[in-house]
Amino acid sequence: MNNLITIEELSKEEIENITDLAESFKKGRYANHQTKHAALIFFENSTRTRFSFECALNRLGAHPYIFDNSKSSTSKGEEIFDTLNNLCAIGIDTFIIRAREENLFSELMKNEYYKPVHFINAGMGKTAHPTQALLDYFTMREKMGDVKNKKIVIIGDIKHSRVAKSNTALLKKMGANVVTCAPSYFREEIEGVVFEENLDKALSGADVVMCLRIQNERLEETISREDFIKNYRINSKNFPKNAILMHPGPVNRDIEIESELLNSKIGETILNQAQNGVYVRMAVLDKIFNGGLV
Ligand code: CP
């Protein structure tokens, strides 16, 4: 089996190898995987990740197939295991899945029938989004050379964010100083990560400021958006000089980042992230198709 489910399963060396390969794809490297057939199965909405994987598969000469949940037989009550078995029988060899359930991949990978199919996690509940963390790392490495000892501040809805979980896992491995900053209702302890509730203190000396969207679809608690905007919104005045502004998208304008800053030169890194996502996903797919992520 050759899959990508979490950042935790990758070594520091493997992360650097994927990033090096992404860099060479960005410079024009060619690969051909025309015998590969991948299903893009998204049970939660997506723009960047879905298009990015589809674009990466096309650029590699592989064949992407979009699974439309609302028009598929899962909406008629078919179990996901049976759906995957049938897709495998049809000739799909790679499943790229976004799911709300946190144990879906471990359940799916217990099935004997569709081995040796590849599984790639395209975002799982509030716990893991490995290709997002890899593309964020690629973007940071491109801008700063190295993240070792750099102060990376992740701001906002830490509690419900899979991006925060995968990014902190990756950045800790690469030797960055990771700080999370959030109001108490979005706080979640992450081992090896400093928490700072005060935005000004968190931003002081930051090399990277990564803002997160409030995950409205996962909120169980009542929160005050006005309070969040007043105390945690990033704007032209509080943004640290010479820092890099990042956001995984989708951005909710004027909630986590003020439009004026987003529309400025500083906001362009967010589109660099989207662009780099294609090369990182090409690298992940190329390594998986060639037999290993190492
Ligand atoms: N960053 C990210 O996962 O965006 P999408 O939800 O649009 O895929």
Side-chain angles (χ1 to χ4, degrees), residues 121-234:
N121 176 0
M124 177 171 67
K126 51 190 182 188
T127 58
H129 194 350
T131 56
Q132 180 68 47
L134 288 166
L135 77 88
D136 290 339
Y137 175 62
F138 178 27
T139 308
M140 287 181 214
R141 204 179 80 164
E142 205 172 47
K143 302 264 173 206
M144 304 191 297
D146 191 358
V147 299
K148 197 166 190 311
N149 298 324
K150 294 285 186 336
K151 183 176 178 182
I152 318 284
V153 185
I154 306 179
I155 300 166
D157 187 358
I158 307 294
K159 186 175 170 183
H160 304 102
S161 170
R162 52 193 172 217
V163 175
K165 312 298 164 28
S166 286
N167 258 294
T168 50
L170 185 149
L171 291 166
K172 279 191 299 176
K173 275 184 207 264
M174 309 319 272
N177 297 327
V178 189
V179 175
T180 56
C181 176
S184 56
Y185 44 87
F186 286 152
R187 180 174 182 169
E188 182 164 312
E189 293 301 329
I190 303 175
E191 203 186 323
V193 171
V194 173
F195 174 77
E196 175 54 67
E197 191 163 353
N198 181 280
L199 181 67
D200 291 334
K201 285 188 189 161
L203 291 177
S204 172
D207 296 291
V208 174
V209 177
M210 183 184 293
C211 300
L212 301 174
R213 178 179 68 90
I214 297 175
Q215 301 275 303
N216 296 304
E217 64 276 31
R218 289 180 228 287
L219 291 190
E220 284 155 5
E221 51 284 89
T222 309
I223 62 138
S224 160
R225 268 172 197 72
E226 291 70 31
D227 171 79
F228 183 83
I229 289 168
K230 182 165 168 263
N231 295 304
Y232 293 94
R233 180 168 66 180
I234 298 302

Side-chain angles (χ1 to χ4, degrees), residues 96-111:
I96 299 167
I97 303 177
R98 171 168 288 191
R100 194 175 175 86
E101 298 83 14
E102 321 234 309
N103 61 350
L104 184 68
F105 286 98
S106 52
E107 290 299 315
L108 291 178
M109 285 157 65
K110 283 181 197 158
N111 189 312

Side-chain angles (χ1 to χ4, degrees), residues 42 44-51 98 122-123 129 132 135 162-163 213 247-250 281:
F42 281 60
E44 289 190 339
N45 293 347
S46 170
T47 298
R48 277 144 291 271
T49 312
R50 211 208 76 179
F51 270 83
R98 171 168 288 191
H129 194 350
Q132 180 68 47
L135 77 88
R162 52 193 172 217
V163 175
R213 178 179 68 90
H247 192 304
R281 289 173 178 123

